Amino acid sequence: MAIEQYGPGVLYRGQTQHYPTSGGVPSLSTSFQRQGCVPDLMIKWSYYAKRALQHLVRGWKNTDDIATNQAILQHYGFRSFFLDASGDPRVAAWFASNKFESKISVNLVEDCFEDPVFLRTRNAWFVPADRMGHVYLICQKALRQSGIQAVHLSEIATAEGAPRYVRQDAYMVGPLIPSGLSGDCVLCHISAPAEVFRDFSGEYNASWLFPEPSDDPVYRELLAMPWEKMRNISYAGLEAFGRALELPEYSDHLRKHMPPASAMYRPFWTRNLPPPPDYPTVSATQIVHILCGSSLFHGVGAPRAFLPHINKLLEAYEEINIELDGLVYHGMGTRYGKGVGIVKMPGDIVSVFEYGVDHPGLRIMAMGRFNGIHYRIDENGGWERVLHKDDCACGSEHAENLELLGRVDLSLEDGGLERIELGLYVQKGVVLTSDLRATWGESY
Protein backbone atom coordinates (compact mmCIF):
# COMPACT_ATOMS: atom_id res chain seq x y z
CA MET A 1 0.00 0.00 0.00
CA ALA A 2 2.85 2.38 0.82
CA ILE A 3 4.42 1.76 -2.59
CA GLU A 4 1.21 1.93 -4.58
CA GLN A 5 0.22 5.36 -3.31
CA TYR A 6 3.15 6.94 -5.17
CA GLY A 7 2.04 5.63 -8.56
CA PRO A 8 4.23 5.42 -11.68
CA GLY A 9 7.42 7.37 -12.32
CA VAL A 10 9.19 5.82 -9.33
CA LEU A 11 12.46 3.91 -9.03
CA TYR A 12 13.36 1.66 -6.11
CA ARG A 13 16.54 0.97 -4.18
CA GLY A 14 16.91 -1.62 -1.41
CA GLN A 15 19.56 -1.72 1.32
CA THR A 16 20.06 -3.77 4.46
CA GLN A 17 21.38 -0.69 6.30
CA HIS A 18 20.23 2.91 6.49
CA TYR A 19 22.77 5.74 6.40
CA PRO A 20 21.19 9.08 7.35
CA THR A 21 22.85 12.48 6.95
CA SER A 22 23.28 14.86 9.87
CA GLY A 23 19.89 16.30 8.87
CA GLY A 24 18.24 12.88 9.10
CA VAL A 25 17.57 12.41 5.36
CA PRO A 26 18.80 9.24 3.60
CA SER A 27 22.39 9.27 2.38
CA LEU A 28 22.45 7.41 -0.94
CA SER A 29 26.06 7.47 -2.13
CA THR A 30 27.89 5.83 -5.03
CA SER A 31 30.47 3.09 -4.61
CA PHE A 32 33.24 5.54 -5.57
CA GLN A 33 32.16 7.89 -2.79
CA ARG A 34 32.16 5.02 -0.29
CA GLN A 35 35.33 3.22 -1.37
CA GLY A 36 37.40 5.67 -3.42
CA CYS A 37 38.81 5.46 -6.93
CA VAL A 38 41.74 3.33 -8.15
CA PRO A 39 42.55 5.03 -11.49
CA ASP A 40 44.46 2.19 -13.17
CA LEU A 41 41.73 -0.33 -12.33
CA MET A 42 38.99 2.11 -13.31
CA ILE A 43 40.57 2.58 -16.74
CA LYS A 44 41.03 -1.16 -17.21
CA TRP A 45 37.46 -1.97 -16.16
CA SER A 46 36.09 0.78 -18.41
CA TYR A 47 38.05 -0.54 -21.39
CA TYR A 48 36.70 -4.06 -21.02
CA ALA A 49 33.18 -2.81 -20.26
CA LYS A 50 33.17 -1.08 -23.66
CA ARG A 51 34.58 -4.20 -25.31
CA ALA A 52 31.80 -6.32 -23.79
CA LEU A 53 29.18 -3.90 -25.09
CA GLN A 54 30.77 -3.95 -28.55
CA HIS A 55 30.84 -7.74 -28.67
CA LEU A 56 27.45 -8.51 -27.17
CA VAL A 57 24.94 -5.70 -27.69
CA ARG A 58 23.38 -5.67 -31.15
CA GLY A 59 23.56 -2.23 -32.74
CA TRP A 60 25.56 -0.71 -29.88
CA LYS A 61 27.49 2.41 -30.79
CA ASN A 62 30.37 3.87 -28.80
CA THR A 63 28.76 7.19 -27.98
CA ASP A 64 30.72 7.65 -24.74
CA ASP A 65 27.51 7.25 -22.74
CA ILE A 66 28.97 7.17 -19.26
CA ALA A 67 25.87 5.52 -17.77
CA THR A 68 25.87 2.45 -20.02
CA ASN A 69 29.67 2.16 -19.91
CA GLN A 70 29.70 2.15 -16.11
CA ALA A 71 26.75 -0.22 -15.86
CA ILE A 72 29.14 -3.12 -16.34
CA LEU A 73 31.43 -1.84 -13.58
CA GLN A 74 28.58 -1.27 -11.14
CA HIS A 75 26.86 -4.62 -11.63
CA TYR A 76 29.85 -6.96 -11.89
CA GLY A 77 31.93 -5.94 -8.93
CA PHE A 78 33.77 -2.67 -9.47
CA ARG A 79 32.85 0.92 -8.66
CA SER A 80 31.08 3.70 -10.53
CA PHE A 81 29.84 7.26 -10.22
CA PHE A 82 26.24 6.02 -10.35
CA LEU A 83 23.66 4.72 -7.93
CA ASP A 84 21.90 1.56 -9.05
CA ALA A 85 18.15 1.27 -8.69
CA SER A 86 15.38 -0.91 -10.10
CA GLY A 87 12.07 -0.39 -11.80
CA ASP A 88 10.72 -3.38 -9.85
CA PRO A 89 9.95 -2.84 -6.14
CA ARG A 90 10.26 -6.57 -5.47
CA VAL A 91 13.87 -6.53 -6.64
CA ALA A 92 14.56 -3.65 -4.22
CA ALA A 93 12.81 -5.62 -1.45
CA TRP A 94 15.07 -8.60 -2.12
CA PHE A 95 18.20 -6.45 -1.73
CA ALA A 96 16.73 -4.94 1.44
CA SER A 97 16.42 -8.37 2.99
CA ASN A 98 19.57 -10.19 1.82
CA LYS A 99 23.09 -9.23 2.82
CA PHE A 100 26.11 -9.50 0.51
CA GLU A 101 29.15 -11.38 1.86
CA SER A 102 32.43 -12.41 0.26
CA LYS A 103 35.82 -13.91 1.03
CA ILE A 104 39.06 -14.66 -0.79
CA SER A 105 39.57 -18.29 -1.78
CA VAL A 106 42.81 -19.91 -2.97
CA ASN A 107 42.45 -23.00 -5.16
CA LEU A 108 45.09 -25.51 -6.30
CA VAL A 109 44.59 -26.37 -9.99
CA GLU A 110 46.62 -27.42 -13.02
CA ASP A 111 46.99 -25.50 -16.26
CA CYS A 112 46.35 -27.24 -19.59
CA PHE A 113 49.90 -28.69 -19.48
CA GLU A 114 49.29 -30.12 -15.96
CA ASP A 115 51.58 -27.61 -14.27
CA PRO A 116 50.25 -26.84 -10.76
CA VAL A 117 49.34 -23.28 -9.73
CA PHE A 118 47.14 -21.55 -7.20
CA LEU A 119 44.26 -19.41 -8.45
CA ARG A 120 42.86 -16.70 -6.20
CA THR A 121 39.17 -15.84 -6.47
CA ARG A 122 36.67 -13.72 -4.55
CA ASN A 123 33.77 -16.01 -3.66
CA ALA A 124 30.50 -14.23 -2.91
CA TRP A 125 27.01 -15.04 -1.69
CA PHE A 126 23.95 -13.49 -0.07
CA VAL A 127 22.60 -14.43 3.36
CA PRO A 128 19.14 -13.56 4.73
CA ALA A 129 19.32 -10.40 6.84
CA ASP A 130 17.77 -10.69 10.29
CA ARG A 131 17.07 -7.04 11.16
CA MET A 132 15.33 -4.10 9.57
CA GLY A 133 15.60 -3.52 5.84
CA HIS A 134 15.19 -0.32 3.88
CA VAL A 135 13.61 0.55 0.52
CA TYR A 136 13.85 4.03 -0.97
CA LEU A 137 11.42 5.39 -3.56
CA ILE A 138 13.18 7.75 -5.97
CA CYS A 139 11.18 10.25 -8.00
CA GLN A 140 12.09 10.29 -11.69
CA LYS A 141 10.53 13.74 -12.15
CA ALA A 142 12.71 15.15 -9.37
CA LEU A 143 15.76 13.54 -10.98
CA ARG A 144 15.00 15.28 -14.28
CA GLN A 145 14.48 18.61 -12.51
CA SER A 146 17.89 18.16 -10.88
CA GLY A 147 19.55 17.31 -14.21
CA ILE A 148 20.27 13.72 -13.13
CA GLN A 149 20.02 10.82 -15.57
CA ALA A 150 18.09 7.64 -14.88
CA VAL A 151 19.12 5.27 -17.66
CA HIS A 152 17.16 2.04 -18.05
CA LEU A 153 19.71 -0.68 -18.78
CA SER A 154 17.35 -2.50 -21.09
CA GLU A 155 19.07 -0.17 -23.59
CA ILE A 156 22.07 -2.51 -23.49
CA ALA A 157 20.28 -5.83 -23.44
CA THR A 158 22.46 -8.42 -25.16
CA ALA A 159 21.43 -10.12 -28.39
CA GLU A 160 21.32 -13.42 -26.49
CA GLY A 161 21.00 -14.40 -22.86
CA ALA A 162 20.02 -12.27 -19.86
CA PRO A 163 22.68 -10.17 -18.08
CA ARG A 164 22.06 -9.61 -14.41
CA TYR A 165 21.20 -5.93 -14.94
CA VAL A 166 18.32 -7.01 -17.21
CA ARG A 167 17.11 -9.61 -14.69
CA GLN A 168 17.19 -6.89 -12.00
CA ASP A 169 15.32 -4.33 -14.19
CA ALA A 170 18.20 -2.02 -13.38
CA TYR A 171 18.55 1.74 -13.79
CA MET A 172 21.72 3.81 -13.45
CA VAL A 173 21.08 7.06 -11.55
CA GLY A 174 23.70 9.76 -11.92
CA PRO A 175 26.48 10.56 -12.38
CA LEU A 176 26.58 11.75 -8.78
CA ILE A 177 29.75 13.82 -8.37
CA PRO A 178 30.94 14.80 -5.80
CA SER A 179 28.06 14.03 -3.40
CA GLY A 180 25.36 11.38 -3.34
CA LEU A 181 21.71 11.59 -4.29
CA SER A 182 19.89 14.59 -2.85
CA GLY A 183 17.20 13.81 -0.32
CA ASP A 184 14.84 15.96 -2.42
CA CYS A 185 14.72 13.12 -4.96
CA VAL A 186 13.65 10.52 -2.37
CA LEU A 187 9.85 10.36 -2.14
CA CYS A 188 9.67 7.83 0.62
CA HIS A 189 11.86 5.67 2.88
CA ILE A 190 10.22 2.42 3.95
CA SER A 191 11.66 0.51 6.90
CA ALA A 192 10.40 -2.96 7.74
CA PRO A 193 11.67 -6.23 9.22
CA ALA A 194 13.75 -8.13 6.68
CA GLU A 195 11.32 -11.05 6.65
CA VAL A 196 8.55 -8.70 5.51
CA PHE A 197 10.66 -7.58 2.53
CA ARG A 198 11.58 -11.20 1.76
CA ASP A 199 7.92 -12.13 1.68
CA PHE A 200 7.14 -9.16 -0.59
CA SER A 201 10.01 -10.07 -2.99
CA GLY A 202 8.20 -13.30 -3.81
CA GLU A 203 10.15 -15.93 -5.74
CA TYR A 204 13.21 -13.79 -6.49
CA ASN A 205 16.48 -15.41 -5.43
CA ALA A 206 20.23 -14.96 -6.00
CA SER A 207 20.34 -17.58 -8.77
CA TRP A 208 17.78 -15.65 -10.79
CA LEU A 209 19.08 -12.14 -10.11
CA PHE A 210 22.72 -13.19 -10.62
CA PRO A 211 22.53 -15.75 -13.44
CA GLU A 212 25.34 -18.13 -14.30
CA PRO A 213 27.73 -17.36 -17.19
CA SER A 214 25.81 -19.84 -19.33
CA ASP A 215 22.87 -17.40 -19.17
CA ASP A 216 24.73 -14.11 -18.71
CA PRO A 217 27.09 -13.38 -21.65
CA VAL A 218 28.63 -10.31 -19.97
CA TYR A 219 29.58 -12.37 -16.92
CA ARG A 220 30.92 -15.09 -19.23
CA GLU A 221 33.11 -12.58 -21.08
CA LEU A 222 34.58 -11.16 -17.86
CA LEU A 223 35.33 -14.63 -16.48
CA ALA A 224 37.14 -15.57 -19.71
CA MET A 225 39.84 -12.94 -19.25
CA PRO A 226 43.41 -14.06 -18.48
CA TRP A 227 44.82 -14.63 -15.03
CA GLU A 228 47.76 -12.49 -13.89
CA LYS A 229 50.56 -13.57 -11.60
CA MET A 230 50.50 -11.99 -8.15
CA ARG A 231 53.96 -10.53 -7.72
CA ASN A 232 55.87 -11.61 -4.60
CA ILE A 233 53.06 -13.95 -3.48
CA SER A 234 53.19 -17.73 -3.46
CA TYR A 235 51.55 -20.58 -1.58
CA ALA A 236 53.60 -23.62 -0.61
CA GLY A 237 56.22 -22.49 -3.12
CA LEU A 238 53.78 -22.46 -6.04
CA GLU A 239 52.91 -19.39 -8.09
CA ALA A 240 49.60 -17.65 -7.41
CA PHE A 241 47.44 -15.92 -10.01
CA GLY A 242 44.40 -13.66 -9.73
CA ARG A 243 41.85 -12.61 -12.31
CA ALA A 244 42.88 -9.66 -14.46
CA LEU A 245 39.66 -8.05 -13.22
CA GLU A 246 38.66 -9.35 -9.81
CA LEU A 247 34.91 -9.76 -9.54
CA PRO A 248 32.61 -11.51 -7.06
CA GLU A 249 31.84 -15.08 -8.12
CA TYR A 250 28.57 -16.58 -6.93
CA SER A 251 29.46 -20.17 -7.82
CA ASP A 252 32.59 -22.17 -8.58
CA HIS A 253 33.87 -21.65 -12.13
CA LEU A 254 37.26 -23.34 -11.74
CA ARG A 255 38.27 -26.78 -12.92
CA LYS A 256 40.91 -29.06 -11.53
CA HIS A 257 42.42 -29.13 -15.03
CA MET A 258 42.02 -25.67 -16.54
CA PRO A 259 41.40 -25.34 -20.32
CA PRO A 260 43.98 -23.89 -22.75
CA ALA A 261 42.01 -20.64 -23.04
CA SER A 262 42.73 -19.91 -19.36
CA ALA A 263 45.95 -17.97 -19.87
CA MET A 264 48.08 -17.48 -16.74
CA TYR A 265 50.25 -14.47 -17.42
CA ARG A 266 53.67 -14.19 -15.86
CA PRO A 267 54.75 -10.55 -16.37
CA PHE A 268 57.12 -10.31 -19.33
CA TRP A 269 58.33 -7.91 -21.98
CA THR A 270 58.88 -9.31 -25.47
CA ARG A 271 62.22 -7.49 -25.69
CA ASN A 272 63.53 -9.86 -22.98
CA LEU A 273 62.53 -13.01 -24.88
CA PRO A 274 64.66 -14.63 -27.57
CA PRO A 275 63.11 -13.87 -30.99
CA PRO A 276 60.78 -16.63 -32.14
CA PRO A 277 61.30 -18.32 -35.52
CA ASP A 278 59.62 -16.74 -38.55
CA TYR A 279 58.85 -13.47 -36.73
CA PRO A 280 59.93 -10.31 -38.61
CA THR A 281 62.78 -8.67 -36.74
CA VAL A 282 64.92 -5.61 -37.16
CA SER A 283 68.26 -4.66 -35.65
CA ALA A 284 68.06 -3.58 -32.01
CA THR A 285 69.46 -0.21 -33.01
CA GLN A 286 66.54 0.34 -35.40
CA ILE A 287 63.70 -0.26 -32.92
CA VAL A 288 62.47 1.72 -29.92
CA HIS A 289 60.49 0.07 -27.12
CA ILE A 290 57.84 1.91 -25.10
CA LEU A 291 56.70 -0.06 -22.05
CA CYS A 292 53.50 0.99 -20.31
CA GLY A 293 50.75 -0.01 -17.89
CA SER A 294 46.96 -0.07 -18.15
CA SER A 295 46.42 3.64 -17.44
CA LEU A 296 48.28 4.64 -20.60
CA PHE A 297 47.51 1.66 -22.83
CA HIS A 298 43.76 1.45 -22.07
CA GLY A 299 43.16 5.16 -21.42
CA VAL A 300 40.93 7.54 -23.31
CA GLY A 301 41.54 10.40 -25.71
CA ALA A 302 40.55 11.45 -29.20
CA PRO A 303 42.77 10.45 -32.15
CA ARG A 304 45.32 13.11 -33.05
CA ALA A 305 46.40 14.01 -36.59
CA PHE A 306 49.75 15.40 -35.41
CA LEU A 307 52.16 13.25 -33.40
CA PRO A 308 55.37 15.31 -33.27
CA HIS A 309 57.21 13.22 -30.68
CA ILE A 310 56.39 9.93 -32.41
CA ASN A 311 57.41 11.51 -35.73
CA LYS A 312 60.76 12.42 -34.20
CA LEU A 313 61.30 8.82 -33.06
CA LEU A 314 60.45 7.58 -36.55
CA GLU A 315 63.21 9.80 -37.97
CA ALA A 316 65.73 7.84 -35.89
CA TYR A 317 64.18 4.35 -35.83
CA GLU A 318 62.53 1.98 -38.30
CA GLU A 319 60.00 0.63 -35.81
CA ILE A 320 58.26 1.59 -32.55
CA ASN A 321 56.84 -1.05 -30.21
CA ILE A 322 54.34 0.08 -27.56
CA GLU A 323 53.88 -2.82 -25.17
CA LEU A 324 51.47 -3.42 -22.29
CA ASP A 325 52.44 -5.10 -19.04
CA GLY A 326 49.65 -7.62 -19.51
CA LEU A 327 47.61 -9.46 -22.11
CA VAL A 328 44.79 -7.84 -24.08
CA TYR A 329 41.77 -10.12 -24.20
CA HIS A 330 40.10 -10.28 -27.62
CA GLY A 331 37.93 -13.39 -27.22
CA MET A 332 40.18 -15.29 -29.65
CA GLY A 333 40.81 -18.49 -27.74
CA THR A 334 44.45 -18.65 -26.69
CA ARG A 335 45.52 -15.59 -28.73
CA TYR A 336 45.95 -12.29 -26.90
CA GLY A 337 47.17 -8.84 -27.79
CA LYS A 338 50.42 -7.62 -26.23
CA GLY A 339 51.01 -4.26 -27.86
CA VAL A 340 50.77 -1.89 -30.80
CA GLY A 341 53.57 -1.33 -33.29
CA ILE A 342 54.50 1.22 -35.94
CA VAL A 343 56.76 0.24 -38.79
CA LYS A 344 58.03 2.45 -41.61
CA MET A 345 57.29 1.47 -45.19
CA PRO A 346 58.31 2.93 -48.56
CA GLY A 347 56.70 6.19 -49.70
CA ASP A 348 56.52 7.92 -46.30
CA ILE A 349 53.90 5.37 -45.24
CA VAL A 350 53.71 3.75 -41.83
CA SER A 351 51.74 0.68 -40.78
CA VAL A 352 50.08 0.77 -37.34
CA PHE A 353 49.39 -2.79 -36.24
CA GLU A 354 48.69 -4.89 -33.18
CA TYR A 355 50.91 -7.77 -32.21
CA GLY A 356 50.17 -10.57 -29.83
CA VAL A 357 51.01 -13.97 -28.44
CA ASP A 358 49.55 -17.45 -28.38
CA HIS A 359 49.39 -18.10 -24.62
CA PRO A 360 47.68 -21.35 -23.54
CA GLY A 361 47.93 -21.87 -19.79
CA LEU A 362 51.33 -20.83 -18.44
CA ARG A 363 53.23 -20.99 -21.71
CA ILE A 364 54.03 -18.56 -24.51
CA MET A 365 53.83 -20.63 -27.66
CA ALA A 366 54.11 -18.09 -30.49
CA MET A 367 54.14 -14.41 -31.34
CA GLY A 368 52.71 -12.71 -34.41
CA ARG A 369 51.45 -9.53 -35.99
CA PHE A 370 47.90 -8.71 -37.01
CA ASN A 371 47.40 -6.73 -40.22
CA GLY A 372 47.25 -3.03 -39.54
CA ILE A 373 46.02 0.28 -40.89
CA HIS A 374 48.25 2.52 -43.01
CA TYR A 375 48.97 6.24 -42.84
CA ARG A 376 51.07 8.71 -44.78
CA ILE A 377 53.03 11.32 -42.85
CA ASP A 378 53.04 14.55 -44.87
CA GLU A 379 55.75 17.20 -44.96
CA ASN A 380 54.10 19.07 -42.08
CA GLY A 381 54.05 15.96 -39.86
CA GLY A 382 50.33 15.25 -40.23
CA TRP A 383 49.02 11.68 -40.37
CA GLU A 384 46.60 10.90 -43.19
CA ARG A 385 44.81 7.56 -43.66
CA VAL A 386 45.69 5.80 -46.92
CA LEU A 387 44.31 2.60 -48.39
CA HIS A 388 46.81 -0.23 -48.74
CA LYS A 389 46.67 -3.80 -50.01
CA ASP A 390 47.84 -5.06 -46.59
CA ASP A 391 45.14 -3.24 -44.59
CA CYS A 392 43.33 -5.26 -41.95
CA ALA A 393 40.24 -6.76 -43.60
CA CYS A 394 37.97 -6.70 -40.54
CA GLY A 395 36.29 -3.47 -41.65
CA SER A 396 37.28 -1.46 -38.57
CA GLU A 397 39.53 1.60 -38.77
CA HIS A 398 41.09 0.56 -35.40
CA ALA A 399 40.74 4.13 -34.12
CA GLU A 400 41.71 2.93 -30.63
CA ASN A 401 45.27 2.35 -31.87
CA LEU A 402 45.55 5.91 -33.12
CA GLU A 403 44.09 7.12 -29.82
CA LEU A 404 46.88 5.18 -28.04
CA LEU A 405 49.49 6.91 -30.20
CA GLY A 406 48.03 10.25 -29.14
CA ARG A 407 48.35 9.37 -25.45
CA VAL A 408 51.89 8.10 -25.97
CA ASP A 409 52.84 11.31 -27.79
CA LEU A 410 51.52 13.42 -24.92
CA SER A 411 53.33 11.23 -22.37
CA LEU A 412 56.59 11.65 -24.27
CA GLU A 413 56.02 15.40 -24.03
CA ASP A 414 55.04 15.67 -20.36
CA GLY A 415 57.52 13.15 -18.98
CA GLY A 416 55.03 10.41 -18.15
CA LEU A 417 57.30 8.19 -20.25
CA GLU A 418 60.91 8.30 -19.12
CA ARG A 419 63.86 7.49 -21.34
CA ILE A 420 65.77 4.76 -19.50
CA GLU A 421 68.39 4.08 -22.13
CA LEU A 422 68.88 4.40 -25.87
CA GLY A 423 65.78 2.96 -27.56
CA LEU A 424 63.83 2.38 -24.34
CA TYR A 425 61.07 4.48 -22.73
CA VAL A 426 59.16 3.28 -19.65
CA GLN A 427 56.01 4.67 -18.04
CA LYS A 428 56.59 5.83 -14.48
CA GLY A 429 55.75 3.11 -11.97
CA VAL A 430 56.01 0.22 -14.45
CA VAL A 431 58.31 -2.66 -13.46
CA LEU A 432 61.02 -3.05 -16.09
CA THR A 433 62.02 -6.66 -15.41
CA SER A 434 60.37 -9.83 -16.74
CA ASP A 435 59.45 -12.90 -14.71
CA LEU A 436 62.27 -15.42 -15.16
CA ARG A 437 59.76 -18.25 -15.70
CA ALA A 438 58.09 -16.46 -18.62
CA THR A 439 59.61 -17.99 -21.75
CA TRP A 440 58.68 -19.92 -24.86
CA GLY A 441 56.83 -23.21 -24.51
CA GLU A 442 58.14 -26.57 -25.61
CA SER A 443 57.52 -25.86 -29.30
CA TYR A 444 60.56 -23.57 -29.12
Side-chain angles (χ1 to χ4, degrees):
M1 290 173 62
I3 287 171
E4 286 179 355
Q5 67 178 301
Y6 289 95
V10 177
L11 301 179
Y12 308 91
R13 177 174 172 83
Q15 297 180 179
T16 56
Q17 296 187 56
H18 174 60
Y19 301 97
T21 66
S22 57
V25 298
S27 174
L28 300 180
S29 58
T30 69
S31 50
F32 267 141
Q33 290 156 1
R34 296 192 302 272
Q35 300 171 290
C37 179
V38 184
D40 275 13
L41 272 178
M42 172 68 177
I43 290 169
K44 193 173 183 179
W45 266 96
S46 297
Y47 172 82
Y48 280 107
K50 288 184 179 181
R51 293 300 293 264
L53 294 173
Q54 288 171 342
H55 293 166
L56 301 171
V57 178
R58 184 177 297 154
W60 185 83
K61 300 293 184 182
N62 184 8
T63 55
D64 291 324
D65 181 353
I66 187 174
T68 55
N69 290 345
Q70 293 200 16
I72 307 301
L73 284 68
Q74 180 77 11
H75 286 86
Y76 291 89
F78 197 57
R79 309 165 193 175
S80 86
F81 295 111
F82 289 77
L83 193 71
D84 59 290
S86 176
D88 185 342
R90 287 175 170 76
V91 170
W94 190 88
F95 282 100
S97 57
N98 291 277
K99 185 178 179 181
F100 173 84
E101 293 186 357
S102 70
K103 71 173 183 179
I104 296 298
S105 177
V106 179
N107 309 271
L108 179 61
V109 303
E110 295 176 346
D111 82 336
C112 56
F113 300 103
E114 301 185 356
D115 293 320
V117 296
F118 281 102
L119 299 183
R120 180 183 184 270
T121 59
R122 178 171 292 279
N123 296 347
W125 61 94
F126 284 88
V127 296
D130 56 4
R131 298 184 180 181
M132 299 293 285
H134 306 271
V135 167
Y136 307 91
L137 278 62
I138 301 169
C139 176
Q140 293 196 64
K141 182 178 179 180
L143 292 176
R144 290 193 297 271
Q145 291 173 339
S146 300
I148 299 173
Q149 297 183 65
V151 179
H152 193 193
L153 295 183
S154 62
E155 291 184 8
I156 53 172
T158 55
E160 298 178 355
R164 62 182 62 166
Y165 52 80
V166 172
R167 289 273 180 92
Q168 296 170 20
D169 194 17
Y171 284 75
M172 296 290 281
V173 177
L176 302 174
I177 307 171
S179 57
L181 185 66
S182 168
D184 295 338
C185 297
V186 180
L187 287 171
C188 178
H189 167 207
I190 303 175
S191 299
E195 58 265 28
V196 172
F197 281 125
R198 274 196 295 276
D199 183 60
F200 179 70
S201 67
E203 296 182 356
Y204 280 136
N205 54 53
S207 297
W208 173 258
L209 296 173
F210 296 86
E212 288 293 300
S214 55
D215 294 322
D216 184 341
V218 176
Y219 193 24
R220 182 167 65 244
E221 176 126 335
L222 294 173
L223 288 174
M225 291 182 60
W227 301 80
E228 295 181 347
K229 184 173 179 177
M230 305 175 69
R231 298 179 189 266
N232 304 317
I233 295 179
S234 64
Y235 298 94
L238 293 178
E239 297 167 287
F241 294 78
R243 293 196 183 276
L245 295 177
E246 184 182 88
L247 65 162
E249 301 180 41
Y250 296 94
S251 59
D252 185 11
H253 305 111
L254 302 182
R255 305 180 194 173
K256 177 64 177 175
H257 190 68
M258 298 295 286
S262 291
M264 299 164 193
Y265 170 74
R266 294 162 168 149
F268 72 89
W269 302 108
T270 56
R271 67 190 295 271
N272 295 335
L273 298 175
D278 303 323
Y279 186 79
T281 59
V282 295
S283 167
T285 60
Q286 295 179 303
I287 186 169
V288 60
H289 294 272
I290 297 175
L291 312 183
C292 60
S294 290
S295 60
L296 180 56
F297 198 89
H298 292 316
V300 294
R304 303 175 68 208
F306 292 92
L307 304 166
H309 298 280
I310 287 179
N311 289 349
K312 187 174 181 180
L313 288 176
L314 287 171
E315 291 174 4
Y317 297 93
E318 294 297 312
E319 186 172 325
I320 299 174
N321 272 3
I322 304 165
E323 185 170 350
L324 171 68
D325 182 15
L327 301 178
V328 183
Y329 174 71
H330 288 306
M332 299 172 62
T334 61
R335 298 170 66 191
Y336 299 86
K338 192 67 171 72
V340 170
I342 310 171
V343 63
K344 291 198 295 190
M345 303 179 69
D348 294 324
I349 291 177
V350 295
S351 172
V352 179
F353 60 91
E354 289 184 69
Y355 62 93
V357 292
D358 185 17
H359 200 305
L362 286 163
R363 304 186 189 182
I364 312 164
M365 303 302 293
M367 185 164 67
R369 295 180 176 180
F370 304 105
N371 285 349
I373 299 296
H374 294 76
Y375 301 87
R376 176 174 285 111
I377 304 175
D378 64 30
E379 59 184 11
N380 297 317
W383 286 48
E384 179 186 5
R385 172 80 166 91
V386 295
L387 298 178
H388 193 277
K389 63 180 180 64
D390 294 326
D391 277 344
C392 178
C394 75
S396 168
E397 289 293 307
H398 296 283
E400 65 276 8
N401 292 339
L402 204 60
E403 292 170 10
L404 170 60
L405 300 191
R407 295 191 297 272
V408 168
D409 199 79
L410 288 173
S411 294
L412 290 168
E413 179 178 323
D414 64 21
L417 284 165
E418 298 179 297
R419 181 182 171 185
I420 303 300
E421 59 187 50
L422 187 65
L424 178 61
Y425 293 80
V426 180
Q427 185 182 359
K428 291 180 179 179
V430 168
V431 177
L432 182 57
T433 56
S434 295
D435 190 300
L436 294 177
R437 298 193 189 188
T439 188
W440 299 115
E442 290 182 355
S443 64
Y444 290 104

